[in-house]
Amino acid sequence: MPGKRDLEESDGDGVHLEDANKRLHISSSDGEGLLQTIEKKRLDFYSEKVCSVTLSTIDVYSCLTCGKYLQGRNEGSPAFKHSIEVSHRLFMHMRTLKTYILPENRQLRNAEVLDQIKYGFRPTYESRQVANFPQECKDLNGQPYLNGFIGLHNISNNDSSNVILLMLAHIKPLRDLLLLNDDLLDKADQFVNKLTLLIRQIWSPRLFRRHVSPHEFLQYVATHVKQPRSLNAHSDPRNVLLFIINRMMNSSCGEIRKTLTENIQGTVTVSTTKIVSVPNDDGNSIKFVLDTRTSKSSDIRFWMLSLDLPAKPLFKDGKSANSLPQVKLEQLIRKFDGTVEQHLKESIRLNKVTQCPPYLILHIKRFDSGKFPVKDRNQTVVEFGQEIDFCSTKYQLFMNIVHEATKPAMNQEVPVLDENSRWKIQIRNDKDDTWLELDEGNVRKREKELLFLNETYLQVWERVTTA
């Protein structure tokens, strides 16, 4: 078990590289030699920080030579034994980001390579820097990438989570809060802490490799957070988004709650009037009329608006885009302008959005709760442009999450009749008005005029502000 000294991480034993000769009995050249043992390409910034020997998350260090996570640095600890058995000497503490030489148990600092590694584990930002994002960057191998527009590893069919994490990373007020408020890394609850760190890594201009893994965040959610039944490995992005938003709203951070409600949440007024039966004038039949005396209305806050597609055609006429039914987005969104009646069992309902958020999230309902929800989904093509007028507000399309069905593997003992879902996100780079599609590790340009040909499922529209 680690001692009290390890947990406190006192600065009293710190030494500079230049005076290592006196304090550690190693020459300056030996100190430089230790830095040469660092293998940056083997470091893992994205896995859960848990000791590979004790499975503890307390007082964990990263070996800067092989990348293993090991506990403690006092005599007999896994990190101490590792330094003796394989002669790996440099270890960085995962909470304080201080580097120590083992087995001497002395701190080493003031080295550029250590600063690079610290930034990899915990990126920090300034407001002037964030205002110029995204920017062209290069990884360790000299490969170019655009920060923020990078792929996330699909660890185990978690692409439905990946597209939502990228969506949240690009909602500017939330992004800026997570990048600039360092308290969210230290004082917030662990869910917000892990989410903040992941968003910071997505926007890092100094990535060692031009992709990021959400492993640490997803592992924490899987093992520490109670999840609703609707959330599982094959969840649709809508459920993932609502889960993350609700979890953030239940956090102790008031700034996050305020940012979400001011930028994503809107209000819809729902009016309901009962239908009653009355006899006709001839007395031989009845008719149904609205009983205005039963009319009532209520204001409901929403995170997204769900749009209903027209019913699927009874007979299919091929599978090309031209053969699929098509509908305009403007027609679907009329559901919330207060003029389109929804006929319920015993009443009529009208929905009218009375408060539009700066970021309007639209959900297009394609799946039902049948036996084969993916195979039997509604594939209606939704036509949309780059701008839309809604509730006397002009919006510009900002993000588009699309669905793609794939055939299941056929070498399984039990036949699977339903198809698999694959999710991608298309994001507009407002610096040059180009669209990029993020599909796992692949980043491709897309023509904005052809975005509607995909199976759109979720969209984010950004309110256009007039100068």
Side-chain angles (χ1 to χ4, degrees), residues 247-375:
R247 190 61 182 78
M248 286 193 289
M249 289 298 293
N250 290 328
S251 73
S252 58
C253 180
E255 284 187 85
I256 285 185
R257 297 195 300 271
K258 181 180 178 182
T259 301
L260 290 174
T261 55
E262 289 182 351
N263 292 281
I264 302 177
Q265 192 175 75
T267 304
V268 59
T269 299
V270 179
S271 303
T272 305
T273 304
K274 287 186 177 182
I275 300 174
V276 295
S277 58
V278 296
N280 273 334
D281 295 337
D282 57 14
N284 296 324
S285 59
I286 61 173
K287 62 180 180 180
F288 296 94
V289 297
L290 293 176
D291 185 359
T292 56
R293 296 172 301 175
T294 64
S295 296
K296 58 181 180 180
S297 62
S298 59
D299 291 338
I300 300 176
R301 296 188 179 276
F302 66 88
W303 297 114
M304 67 180 74
L305 297 178
S306 291
L307 308 181
D308 302 309
L309 291 171
K312 295 186 298 181
L314 186 59
F315 300 102
K316 295 184 179 180
D317 184 22
K319 293 186 177 180
S320 67
N322 292 329
S323 65
L324 293 172
Q326 301 183 22
V327 63
K328 292 185 178 296
L329 181 66
E330 289 84 353
Q331 180 180 342
L332 299 182
I333 207 170
R334 287 186 59 230
K335 171 183 175 181
F336 294 98
D337 67 1
T339 63
V340 177
E341 295 181 345
Q342 282 187 287
H343 293 260
L344 306 180
K345 185 177 181 180
E346 297 179 348
S347 61
I348 296 292
R349 183 167 65 189
L350 294 174
N351 306 291
K352 182 175 178 59
V353 171
T354 53
Q355 180 182 346
C356 291
Y359 291 87
L360 178 66
I361 302 177
L362 300 180
H363 163 236
I364 298 174
K365 297 165 66 174
R366 294 190 179 273
F367 305 98
D368 56 30
S369 56
K371 187 176 182 181
F372 307 117
V374 179
K375 186 177 180 180

Side-chain angles (χ1 to χ4, degrees), residues 402-417:
V402 299
H403 174 265
E404 182 180 292
T406 60
K407 298 294 183 181
M410 301 303 295
N411 58 350
Q412 303 179 23
E413 295 182 3
V414 180
V416 179
L417 300 180

Side-chain angles (χ1 to χ4, degrees), residues 16-231:
H16 293 268
L17 185 62
E18 55 267 25
D19 62 9
N21 183 33
K22 179 179 178 181
R23 298 286 300 274
L24 299 178
H25 306 291
I26 56 176
S27 65
S28 175
S29 60
D30 289 337
E32 293 292 343
L34 287 176
L35 294 177
Q36 295 299 319
T37 65
I38 295 176
E39 295 284 349
K40 291 192 286 187
K41 292 184 179 180
R42 299 186 67 180
L43 299 180
D44 183 3
F45 299 108
Y46 313 119
S47 293
E48 186 181 14
K49 309 305 185 289
V50 57
C51 175
S52 60
V53 177
T54 65
L55 303 182
S56 173
T57 58
I58 300 175
D59 196 33
V60 175
Y61 293 75
S62 174
C63 174
L64 300 187
T65 302
C66 66
K68 284 186 176 180
Y69 291 124
L70 298 160
Q71 187 180 26
R73 58 184 168 88
N74 57 323
E75 186 173 352
S77 67
F80 184 92
K81 292 179 180 178
H82 185 75
S83 69
I84 295 175
E85 292 170 357
V86 297
S87 297
H88 293 175
R89 307 284 301 284
L90 296 181
F91 296 81
M92 181 173 287
H93 192 266
M94 291 293 92
R95 183 177 59 83
T96 65
L97 299 183
K98 296 176 182 178
T99 302
Y100 293 88
I101 305 171
L102 296 183
E104 290 90 343
N105 199 12
R106 295 292 183 179
Q107 185 183 349
L108 181 65
R109 52 189 175 184
N110 288 0
E112 181 179 355
V113 64
L114 298 182
D115 293 335
Q116 294 174 358
I117 296 171
K118 289 179 184 178
Y119 195 92
F121 280 114
R122 188 179 298 184
T124 56
Y125 300 90
E126 297 180 355
S127 56
R128 287 185 298 177
Q129 178 188 19
V130 173
N132 292 322
F133 283 170
Q135 63 188 46
E136 295 287 345
C137 313
K138 288 187 177 180
D139 65 8
L140 279 182
N141 297 318
Q143 296 296 318
Y145 71 94
L146 193 66
N147 70 324
F149 293 80
I150 58 171
L152 294 183
H153 284 167
N154 189 356
I155 302 169
S156 179
N157 296 321
N158 65 290
D159 50 347
S160 60
S161 299
N162 288 350
V163 293
I164 293 303
L165 292 169
L166 287 167
M167 173 197 284
L168 294 173
H170 280 265
I171 295 178
K172 296 182 183 69
L174 179 62
R175 177 201 69 179
D176 293 350
L177 175 63
L178 299 182
L179 296 189
L180 299 174
N181 190 338
D182 290 337
D183 286 344
L184 299 180
L185 285 176
D186 300 316
K187 299 179 181 179
D189 61 60
Q190 284 294 300
F191 182 90
V192 173
N193 179 295
K194 304 294 184 186
L195 179 62
T196 300
L197 182 59
L198 176 59
I199 302 301
R200 289 188 177 212
Q201 290 167 337
I202 289 173
W203 282 99
S204 173
R206 306 183 203 171
L207 290 178
F208 283 23
R209 293 171 289 273
R210 55 179 182 173
H211 49 74
V212 169
S213 172
H215 177 271
E216 185 173 9
F217 172 76
L218 295 179
Q219 183 68 20
Y220 176 82
V221 171
T223 56
H224 294 86
V225 180
K226 184 178 180 181
Q227 304 171 46
R229 289 184 178 181
S230 59
L231 199 67

Side-chain angles (χ1 to χ4, degrees), residues 413-461:
E413 295 182 3
V414 180
V416 179
L417 300 180
D418 200 12
E419 297 176 338
N420 296 323
S421 290
R422 185 178 180 186
W423 301 96
K424 307 174 186 178
I425 184 169
Q426 300 161 338
I427 308 175
R428 177 173 56 85
N429 178 5
D430 52 11
K431 268 194 169 182
D432 56 10
D433 197 33
T434 58
W435 281 86
L436 296 174
E437 181 179 87
L438 310 183
D439 175 19
E440 297 184 15
N442 302 313
V443 180
R444 309 180 187 91
K445 283 190 176 182
R446 284 288 180 255
E447 296 293 333
K448 61 183 179 182
E449 294 83 5
L450 303 179
L451 295 179
F452 77 92
L453 293 178
N454 299 112
E455 218 171 88
T456 296
Y457 186 65
L458 282 172
Q459 291 185 325
V460 179
W461 293 78

